[in-house]
Amino acid sequence: MQFITTRGAGQPVSAARAICLGLAGDGGLFVPEQFPSVDLHQALAQPDYPALAAFILEQFLTDYDPAFLRQTVRQVYGEAFGEGTAPLHKAGDGMYSLELWHGPTCAFKDFALQLMPRLLVEAKRMLGDSSTTAILVATSGDTGKAALAGYCDVPGVTITVFYPSHGTSEVQRLQMTTQQGENVAVYAVQGNFDDAQTGVKRVFSDPDVAKQLGAKGVQLSSANSINWGRLVPQIVYYFHAYSQLVRSGALKAGEKADFCVPTGNFGDILAGWYAKQMGLPVGKLICASNKNDVLTEFFATGVYNARRPFYRTTSPSMDILVSSNLERLLYHMAGAEKVKGWMKQLFETGSYEVEPEVMERIRADFGAACADDETAAAQIRSLFEEQGYLCDPHTAVAFSAARRNKGDAPMVVLSTASPFKFPKDVLAALGQPLPEDEFEAMAALAQYAGQPAPQALACLRSLPERFSTTIRPDALRDVVLGE
């Protein structure tokens, strides 16, 4: 399997090379040259999550030793996730919640970012690359901690995370600023996630930065979902969810299931579309957005307009106006030349418009809906009161969108973070008294809901903060170069 850039420049590269580079030299994103077709019954016959993960990864990472992949996924998903890798819970008539937050940092990003460091180290070994890999990460909340945890003290790798100042929950912030490890660094960036992400992309595309780092034996890479190594592990849990539906009798093998995904950078939902291209019987993929509804507008009108008001919401991981992975979908639907033109327009004017015939193909697979904070809060409360099910604000946004788009097929909502990451917002949605202190709120939520807060979150209160520097968006280059 070879990988090519969404903007058409350069030669195809191996999976190992794509994972090492992160972003293509022309600023585009790596995508597979073709989609492997899998036998559904063979996929459903895999005995557990690690076996299924190896089965899917082997279809794309064809230059990796299958024995390495099988051993690695069993170590990763066994050690980091325990018994409950991605449980599927019924949450109403024909509605299901796929809980993806039972890993070490209590967010769905763990599925990729516990595995990706091992894929990177093996890729460097395969390529004979002895350079230091400098991982740069822009995060809207969850990616930062998951990446820091995954890459902590990995030999030959440094990782620097940039998060928006005042743009994450307090728990998310503390998860990053208390991170241990000799090879990690964390900076708050003045502005929002798009400011941080744009700064990181500019560093990647700056030839002078590459030249200066290269002279020091340093190669840049990314742990954001712009890196193919982030996307491919996420394909697995769509197959896993479908397998659980079949085993529970909710549908028969070959019947379609719909999925609703709380969406910011478009990577998680794109993984579902990739699963569909491989042969998984996916009906509709519903893109759920919060008040930052740039994607909802795009699916409705074909116009992507990033020059719009930015809102801070109770679902901060979705507070994004430039959804990078949409570029990958546009490439598959319209090709590199179109993508180059649209991305140029986005950079120069902040918007672009996709032709009706392309949008018709996109809408055949995707739907979209948005929910503001008040709607999400109402959804948290109704789910708990009616179903006894507790969810976080991002998942609540998705449940709201899912209910409005529910058809005859089972609807699986991807639950992307533990509700205890956002204890104040969840408590407020449940109509409960609100303590001033974040950790008192966490304890109050645990008592009211009758379920314990994850220890990985509760322990943050006692950990010292190691990182407190705030920088301007235009200072990322200096940070990376050590100036």
Side-chain angles (χ1 to χ4, degrees):
M1 173 75 70
Q2 295 285 98
F3 292 81
I4 51 179
T5 167
T6 52
R7 301 186 191 180
Q11 296 298 311
V13 300
S14 66
R17 179 66 69 187
I19 289 171
C20 281
L21 291 173
L23 194 67
D26 62 354
L29 310 184
F30 286 113
V31 293
E33 276 192 313
Q34 68 276 331
F35 293 107
S37 178
V38 303
D39 182 282
L40 180 62
H41 293 285
Q42 187 178 2
L44 299 182
Q46 301 302 315
D48 55 20
Y49 195 94
L52 177 61
F55 176 75
I56 298 299
L57 291 173
E58 286 173 28
Q59 313 301 313
F60 288 101
L61 308 183
T62 54
D63 49 333
Y64 283 76
D65 182 350
F68 164 81
L69 293 175
R70 291 167 195 162
Q71 179 185 25
T72 300
V73 295
R74 194 152 295 281
Q75 291 171 342
V76 166
Y77 297 122
E79 293 172 1
F81 291 82
E83 296 300 316
T85 312
L88 189 71
H89 292 277
K90 192 162 188 181
D93 186 22
M95 301 283 290
Y96 298 85
S97 177
L98 182 68
E99 291 186 349
L100 299 173
W101 42 264
H102 293 278
T105 76
C106 305
F108 80 98
K109 309 292 177 74
D110 288 325
F111 277 89
L113 287 168
Q114 285 294 305
L115 177 64
M116 190 176 162
R118 304 189 189 209
L119 296 179
L120 175 63
V121 170
E122 179 66 6
K124 291 179 68 177
R125 186 198 65 76
M126 292 160 58
L127 296 169
D129 183 354
S130 60
S131 66
T132 296
T133 300
I135 303 285
L136 304 185
V137 179
T139 182
S140 56
D142 289 332
T143 292
K145 173 59 179 178
L148 289 165
Y151 283 100
C152 174
D153 291 332
V154 171
V157 176
T158 65
I159 177 166
T160 306
V161 168
F162 303 95
Y163 70 92
S165 60
H166 311 294
T168 67
S169 78
E170 180 65 2
V171 171
Q172 287 175 313
R173 187 189 71 81
L174 286 171
Q175 282 190 295
M176 291 183 281
T177 61
T178 60
Q179 176 66 47
Q180 296 300 303
E182 296 301 313
N183 65 335
V184 307
V186 179
Y187 294 87
V189 177
Q190 294 172 357
N192 58 41
F193 169 76
D194 292 308
D195 295 315
Q197 178 169 251
T198 299
V200 167
K201 284 185 174 180
R202 283 177 177 164
V203 170
F204 269 102
S205 61
D206 188 329
D208 185 56
V209 170
K211 182 179 179 181
Q212 290 191 52
L213 291 178
K216 302 175 185 177
V218 177
Q219 169 78 49
L220 287 177
S221 190
S222 173
N224 282 93
S225 56
I226 57 176
N227 192 313
W228 174 249
R230 266 284 304 279
L231 270 180
V232 64
Q234 294 175 295
I235 297 171
V236 179
Y237 46 68
Y238 285 90
F239 281 88
H240 180 64
Y242 190 90
S243 176
Q244 291 181 81
L245 288 172
V246 171
R247 291 178 184 182
S248 71
L251 52 69
K252 296 178 181 177
E255 294 177 339
K256 290 184 178 179
D258 297 330
F259 292 85
C260 185
V261 187
T263 307
N265 225 10
F266 207 75
D268 206 14
I269 194 168
L270 182 65
W273 188 79
Y274 281 169
K276 183 173 184 175
Q277 306 317 299
M278 296 174 70
L280 189 68
V282 175
K284 279 282 189 178
L285 289 157
I286 307 302
C287 177
S289 300
N290 60 21
K291 194 173 182 179
N292 295 295
D293 59 353
V294 61
L295 286 168
T296 309
E297 181 183 78
F298 170 74
F299 283 110
T301 66
V303 176
Y304 194 100
N305 178 23
R307 289 194 174 170
R308 56 199 289 125
F310 176 87
Y311 300 101
R312 286 184 57 202
T313 74
T314 58
S315 46
S317 295
M318 302 160 68
D319 290 348
I320 294 173
L321 296 181
V322 179
S323 297
S324 291
N325 282 288
L326 185 62
E327 180 174 338
R328 282 184 163 111
L329 179 67
L330 293 174
Y331 169 81
H332 294 303
M333 295 291 183
E337 285 304 311
K338 287 288 187 182
V339 165
K340 275 198 299 186
W342 290 326
M343 294 305 108
K344 185 172 184 289
Q345 290 176 44
L346 182 65
F347 177 77
E348 293 175 350
T349 71
S351 68
Y352 58 88
E353 184 171 2
V354 173
E355 290 87 343
E357 58 270 21
V358 177
M359 290 308 302
E360 185 177 353
R361 291 196 292 275
I362 290 173
R363 293 188 190 111
D365 290 329
F366 290 89
C370 58
D372 59 17
D373 286 354
E374 293 73 23
T375 303
Q379 195 67 228
I380 290 172
R381 187 164 188 167
S382 66
L383 273 170
F384 189 72
E385 291 178 348
E386 297 167 13
Q387 304 293 330
Y389 187 75
L390 189 67
C391 73
D392 85 296
H394 304 76
T395 305
V397 168
F399 264 104
S400 175
R403 286 178 166 174
R404 281 175 277 158
N405 287 272
K406 179 74 174 70
D408 295 331
M411 173 70 79
V412 178
V413 170
L414 271 59
S415 180
T416 53
S418 166
F420 292 96
K421 276 198 165 188
F422 312 92
K424 286 189 174 181
D425 294 318
V426 176
L427 263 184
L430 295 172
Q432 296 303 298
L434 206 58
E436 277 292 320
D437 181 79
E438 194 86 6
F439 294 94
E440 289 178 10
M442 193 182 294
L445 178 59
Q447 183 175 11
Y448 180 75
Q451 41 186 281
Q455 183 58 28
L457 302 181
C459 74
L460 292 171
R461 182 175 213 161
S462 61
L463 298 179
E465 290 194 60
R466 297 182 62 208
F467 305 101
S468 59
T469 303
T470 300
I471 62 172
R472 301 184 316 275
D474 60 5
L476 267 74
R477 183 182 187 276
D478 295 340
V479 167
V480 172
L481 291 174
E483 297 176 351

